[in-house]
Amino acid sequence: MTSVKESPYYKDAIQEINYPFGDYYLFENFVVAEVKEDIVFNWKDHAKQVVEELTNLYDHNGKEVVYISNRVNNYSVVPSDWIHFFRFSYSLKGYAIVTQKKGKSWSNSLLEKMFMRNQMQTFLDLEDAIEWANELGNKPKKYRSVI
């Protein structure tokens, strides 16, 4: 698995934020997260801080951002903590997980999918996830007709 820093996309990052539990690479329409080895990623200790900072930096509640979890390290996510994310009215345009097909990370991504309310995809390659994120970012907005 390739880290963003080792990819050709790194040069396009607008900003890099480093936390003790992971590194976040901000792009125009998406964020790539790389959580560190053996972290149990949860709302209270990790996600709340990230969401608040990204909300301020992107100047909205996330509705225009695709979040890519690039799982270059082995870590766990508390999937039920997604409830906190939605309780505070945060949203995402899409959520992608980049992982290897075999192993715990793949099965964890399937479990997380049950808790998501928006576009979610699992990829085996960071490049495919970024392409998908850019496609979501460029989709024309659909408006309901009032007539």
Side-chain angles (χ1 to χ4, degrees), residues 41-105:
F41 195 83
N42 63 62
W43 176 258
K44 180 182 166 221
D45 299 327
H46 312 103
K48 184 176 186 215
Q49 180 181 357
V50 172
V51 166
E52 288 173 350
E53 189 158 357
L54 294 181
T55 298
N56 288 332
L57 290 171
Y58 280 101
D59 200 28
H60 52 69
N61 68 351
K63 65 183 177 202
E64 298 300 321
V65 175
V66 176
Y67 184 94
I68 300 172
S69 177
N70 189 26
R71 303 216 170 147
V72 293
N73 297 307
N74 289 317
Y75 67 93
S76 301
V77 175
V78 178
S80 59
D81 276 5
W82 279 105
I83 294 166
H84 298 290
F85 182 81
F86 296 115
R87 184 180 296 151
F88 291 103
S89 298
Y90 296 117
S91 61
L92 291 169
K93 187 170 232 172
Y95 178 63
I97 296 174
V98 181
T99 186
Q100 296 177 355
K101 187 161 185 150
K102 296 180 181 177
K104 188 172 138 182
S105 185

